Amino acid sequence: MSSEERKDNYSADNIQVLEGLEAVRKRPAMYIGDIGLKGLHHLVYEVVDNSIDEALAGYCDAIHVSINVDNSITVIDNGRGIPTAMHSKEKKSALEVVMTVLHAGGKFDKDTYKVSGGLHGVGVSCVNALSQHLVATVRREGKVFQQEYSIGKPLYDVKVVGESEETGTEVTFKPDASIFESTEYNFDTLAARMRELAFLNKGITITLEDKRISDEDGNHPTTRYFSEGGLREFAQYLDRNREALIQDVIYFEGEREGIPVEVSMTYNTSYTENIQAYVNNINTHEGGTHLSGFRRGLTNTLKKYATDSGMLAKEKIEIDGDDFREGLTAVVSVKVAEPQFEGQTKTKLGNREVTAPVSQAVSEMLSAYLEEHPTEARLIVEKVILAARARHAARKAREMVQRKNILAGGGLPGKLADCSEKDPAACEIYFVEGDSAGGTAKQGRDRHFQAIMPLRGKILNVEKAMQHKIFENEEIKNIYTALGVRIGTEEDSKALNLEKLRYHKIIIMCDADVDGSHIETLILTFFFRYMKELIENGYIYIATPPLYQVKKGAKAEYAWNEDQRDRLINDMKGAGSESSVNVQRYKGLGEMNAEQLWETTMNPESRTLRQVTIENAAECDQIFSMLMGDDVPPRREFIEKNAKYAKIDA
Ligand code: 0RA
């Protein structure tokens, strides 16, 4: 039987049965990553992935996702509908098997169904197990079938509840509040993933609707994502806040050695490299064999072109791989039947057979482009040469810094007030806005485990500066030296040596105003571009100083927003007879004395730290380029809108 026939003859038996659901509820993090916001949103991706698979199989072109009033989620597709016939082995409906048996759903039978989607590839049964309620509705064969579940257990057998000419699958689930830390969905987080999926799977319309919000006419905010150009448009989207070096997007789509490969690339005038690599729609930010293939194809083709053109002849310096990627924005997407994921976060592709096809694809598309576009080709090679010169200058600057450090006894920055504890896991460093707040923090801290490092005003915007400027910058040098991580070595300029890291909590503490947010963003941009590992390992935090102090007599309390403030005022008024409640608005850290700063912002017992994480790598790059653009209002709006979603760590 050919695989085509098998697909047509799909029967309920093909669904492989592996495990029960109890395990999922006992160890949810093992299946969906975590039980925080990430895991919560992952449930949606898991359900949508099934619909995407149906679309990739050629039977579905529209997916609708809604966030309902009660923060339940509905996903509707117009595919064939999950089969409902009896499963001969299990003696129940295939729908029930798909919804209740771990790893069922046909996905694991690669002959019958497409590549596995979600990162954890656990299937919709896992979502069911983690939902206090789930309704599955299937339209096929003229009928509407339905089954409901509570924490994964069916409430009744699959039944027919109506007739329909349409086909498709509809799943509504409400995440179990006893499992998740938070059950409130963030529209922008889901939107970023739906946008990404639309680019990665051209031709599918994905709509996202937020039913928690209605206007006077009862309409809800709805966004529709559809990409005709696929990765070609994705690259344009990623670069929309940057200045283009070449107007075109260089593009390839096809199959090489049986592996579907889609690649797009363009150059902008910035100094950052932005390559997003995907396997089966998953962002593999640790890279892997497909990324190696891309780099190999790029380096070989450009090097050959540059040499043949004679432009390199008068250059004395050696060009290396990095130089070809400065200002490059690229997206690589491959579909692999049995992906091997490796690395710390299991986002590194290990399949060796993928390198050559990607490298071939890149060489083909790029050499064709360079041949046909001599003007653009010249611009690219000139940029590469510039990058090589800058890299040499940066190396000199770096060596200077390191030599100076050695001369100075490899000492720590003078402005650093270090802690006495030596175990990095127990140590914290506060990067504090301004010398005066830094002084207060030094008085207020617990010097046993808290180090303080004041930063002077706005640090360099690394998004716009060349590397050697960055390594020469005094504040940035201080950050590097204080943290103990060495400035990258020649071979691998961006890899950090985390073993040398001196603090496992790196806390940014700025004023709670627009300038403070700006400085915060500048520091985060630096960490994101030059020390991403610190974010990926969960070492970066943001302190949250209070906005108000409400005081009556000797009793003082703090508020972080207007609601809290008003409640405190009312409580205090209620508690006494006079109207002698005093409200103080803190504009900056400097307005607090050492004791207040300790109590509200630095004491681990009472402070709130927001941990910085990366939810969506492609979107993150786009947002940083937007935040660091010249326009202040979008940045401010973004920060205000998103602050409340930050993860809280007591
Ligand atoms: C297995 C076989 C068939 C459809 C599906 C799975 C399917 C699963 C999901 C999950 C969400 N939407 C879906 N749509 C389809 C096809 C069986 C047939 O009609 O021959």
Side-chain angles (χ1 to χ4, degrees):
M1 200 173 4
S2 77
S3 71
E4 258 319 299
E5 273 170 312
R6 245 179 270 178
K7 201 192 284 177
D8 293 342
N9 288 347
Y10 185 97
S11 75
D13 314 55
N14 294 42
I15 292 164
Q16 294 172 4
V17 175
L18 296 176
E19 270 187 75
L21 297 177
E22 253 333 283
V24 180
R25 290 184 59 82
K26 270 204 195 112
R27 295 177 162 197
M30 230 180 81
Y31 294 85
I32 53 160
D34 69 30
I35 51 165
L37 285 177
K38 222 175 184 159
L40 183 76
H41 289 78
H42 191 86
L43 299 180
V44 184
Y45 309 151
E46 200 63 55
V47 177
V48 171
D49 277 336
N50 291 297
S51 302
I52 296 273
D53 274 348
E54 182 69 356
L56 292 177
Y59 300 101
C60 159
D61 66 2
I63 302 169
H64 182 80
V65 180
S66 58
I67 311 172
N68 304 314
V69 179
D70 62 351
N71 270 295
S72 66
I73 297 283
T74 300
V75 178
I76 307 174
D77 69 47
N78 64 350
R80 291 167 294 179
I82 300 177
T84 52
M86 262 317 158
H87 190 280
S88 58
K89 251 185 271 158
E90 296 276 317
K91 304 262 183 295
K92 30 181 133 141
S93 163
L95 173 62
E96 180 171 332
V97 175
V98 167
M99 299 308 300
T100 59
V101 181
L102 208 59
H103 289 176
K107 272 187 177 182
F108 280 67
D109 184 345
K110 87 179 156 98
D111 287 335
T112 40
Y113 212 46
K114 269 288 184 182
V115 291
S116 109
L119 171 55
H120 300 272
V122 285
V124 67
S125 59
C126 181
V127 176
N128 197 8
L130 299 175
S131 296
Q132 51 198 61
H133 189 80
L134 187 146
V135 190
T137 309
V138 169
R139 294 176 180 83
R140 59 183 278 147
E141 295 150 15
K143 296 198 182 85
V144 183
F145 301 87
Q146 199 163 68
Q147 189 170 38
E148 289 176 65
Y149 317 81
S150 175
I151 58 168
K153 296 184 190 113
L155 297 177
Y156 49 81
D157 287 345
V158 173
K159 64 182 180 191
V160 174
V161 294
E163 294 178 5
S164 175
E165 288 311 302
E166 285 160 20
T167 66
T169 304
E170 174 174 344
V171 172
T172 297
F173 66 94
K174 184 163 168 54
D176 190 338
S178 71
I179 288 194
F180 290 94
E181 286 165 3
S182 157
T183 49
E184 190 182 339
Y185 276 103
N186 179 342
F187 185 88
D188 291 345
T189 302
L190 293 180
R193 177 61 178 158
M194 298 310 130
R195 180 187 299 115
E196 184 179 45
L197 283 173
F199 282 132
L200 289 166
N201 305 280
K202 59 181 175 186
I204 308 179
T205 300
I206 308 179
T207 41
L208 177 63
E209 183 179 9
D210 194 345
K211 292 192 171 166
R212 297 169 301 184
I213 303 170
S214 322
D215 64 13
E216 308 91 68
D217 305 322
N219 295 318
H220 314 295
T222 303
T223 319
R224 177 179 169 277
Y225 301 101
F226 171 82
S227 173
E228 200 181 312
L231 297 195
R232 192 192 279 280
E233 288 170 8
F234 199 176
Q236 275 166 340
Y237 170 78
L238 291 175
D239 261 2
R240 74 191 208 283
N241 298 307
R242 298 194 176 100
E243 191 189 333
L245 179 76
I246 58 168
Q247 298 305 319
D248 309 300
V249 175
I250 309 167
Y251 181 72
F252 173 93
E253 192 204 4
E255 218 176 88
R256 287 292 171 273
E257 298 178 24
I259 295 174
V261 180
E262 194 181 348
V263 188
S264 69
M265 58 174 275
T266 188
Y267 280 92
N268 58 63
T269 58
S270 84
Y271 309 108
T272 38
E273 161 190 336
N274 178 21
I275 309 177
Q276 303 294 338
Y278 294 84
V279 178
N280 302 347
N281 294 332
I282 300 157
N283 189 303
T284 39
H285 61 84
E286 291 179 280
T289 50
H290 54 332
L291 185 63
S292 310
F294 176 87
R295 289 182 167 170
R296 184 183 298 174
L298 178 84
T299 305
N300 291 347
T301 312
L302 271 182
K303 205 170 216 166
K304 181 170 189 314
Y305 183 90
T307 312
D308 293 354
S309 72
M311 286 170 75
L312 289 187
K314 45 187 181 303
E315 293 299 322
K316 288 193 193 68
I317 42 179
E318 180 96 12
I319 310 276
D320 85 6
D322 275 355
D323 303 327
F324 294 104
R325 300 193 298 271
E326 208 178 90
L328 171 74
T329 291
V331 191
V332 183
S333 170
V334 292
K335 301 264 162 49
V336 181
E338 282 173 288
Q340 303 299 316
F341 290 113
E342 305 169 348
Q344 252 190 347
T345 52
K346 293 270 174 276
T347 56
K348 182 175 180 184
L349 184 69
N351 304 52
R352 294 178 168 278
E353 73 277 13
V354 180
T355 305
V358 177
S359 158
Q360 260 177 42
V362 173
S363 299
E364 274 175 45
M365 75 162 189
L366 192 56
S367 44
Y369 179 84
L370 296 171
E371 285 309 322
E372 288 159 24
H373 300 80
T375 316
E376 285 81 1
R378 198 172 182 84
L379 284 172
I380 294 171
V381 175
E382 277 166 4
K383 169 126 180 128
V384 169
I385 292 171
L386 221 62
R389 288 195 199 131
R391 185 170 50 82
H392 282 258
R395 189 187 59 189
K396 281 207 187 101
R398 242 177 7 230
E399 283 169 356
M400 283 285 286
V401 174
Q402 270 154 7
R403 193 165 325 123
K404 248 195 244 162
N405 269 344
I406 292 163
L407 289 178
L412 295 165
K415 294 204 298 178
L416 173 74
D418 207 5
C419 54
S420 54
E421 172 66 50
K422 291 290 169 246
D423 174 14
C427 292
E428 306 181 344
I429 183 168
Y430 279 81
F431 288 114
V432 187
E433 170 183 357
D435 286 333
S436 108
T440 315
K442 278 179 200 174
Q443 284 168 33
R445 68 174 171 151
D446 181 334
R447 65 179 58 242
H448 177 64
F449 68 97
Q450 293 179 319
I452 307 293
M453 167 98 162
L455 293 178
R456 189 174 311 132
K458 310 215 160 155
I459 73 159
L460 186 74
N461 181 354
V462 300
E463 196 72 23
K464 289 186 177 163
M466 291 182 88
Q467 273 207 15
H468 66 98
K469 288 271 179 235
I470 294 166
F471 293 125
E472 281 161 6
N473 183 274
E474 205 57 42
E475 294 300 75
I476 285 176
K477 271 192 290 193
N478 283 341
I479 295 176
Y480 264 118
T481 340
L483 293 179
V485 284
R486 251 209 309 165
I487 299 176
T489 59
E490 184 62 5
E491 291 74 40
D492 199 354
S493 59
K494 276 164 200 159
L496 285 187
N497 186 354
L498 287 179
E499 281 151 45
K500 295 267 170 67
L501 183 66
R502 302 177 63 244
Y503 315 89
H504 283 191
K505 278 205 169 73
I506 299 161
I507 303 165
I508 305 169
M509 185 159 74
C510 293
D511 288 343
D513 61 9
V514 176
D515 271 349
S517 315
H518 190 194
I519 294 168
E520 207 170 279
T521 314
L522 286 167
I523 301 175
L524 282 178
T525 306
F526 168 67
F527 284 138
F528 181 70
R529 293 291 180 211
Y530 286 87
M531 297 188 169
K532 201 185 236 158
E533 294 94 329
L534 296 184
I535 304 181
E536 285 169 347
N537 284 283
Y539 294 143
I540 309 284
Y541 297 83
I542 295 171
T544 46
L547 292 180
Y548 302 97
Q549 186 195 57
V550 183
K551 202 171 169 186
K552 187 182 174 180
K555 194 176 171 220
E557 299 216 37
Y558 302 91
W560 276 259
N561 57 48
E562 283 69 31
D563 274 0
Q564 277 181 358
R565 176 198 62 192
D566 296 343
R567 237 179 295 138
L568 283 178
I569 296 175
N570 276 333
D571 287 356
M572 289 200 188
K573 272 188 187 154
S577 46
E578 298 160 71
S579 175
S580 57
V581 178
N582 173 19
V583 180
Q584 189 191 344
R585 165 79 164 97
Y586 285 132
K587 293 199 197 70
L589 298 166
E591 290 179 30
M592 279 184 274
N593 64 34
E595 200 186 322
Q596 289 168 333
L597 189 61
W598 162 255
E599 197 181 318
T600 59
T601 316
M602 297 177 71
N603 179 357
E605 302 283 310
S606 49
R607 73 184 174 194
T608 298
L609 291 185
R610 291 176 293 151
Q611 188 177 38
V612 179
T613 59
I614 299 174
E615 261 164 32
N616 184 311
E619 190 68 6
C620 208
D621 170 85
Q622 196 280 123
I623 286 169
F624 270 110
S625 68
M626 177 266 289
L627 288 176
M628 293 298 101
D630 296 318
D631 244 12
V632 175
R635 168 173 58 78
R636 186 180 178 174
E637 192 188 325
F638 175 87
I639 291 169
E640 284 170 359
K641 195 167 146 204
N642 286 278
K644 69 172 172 153
Y645 294 113
K647 185 175 163 187
I648 306 295
D649 169 270

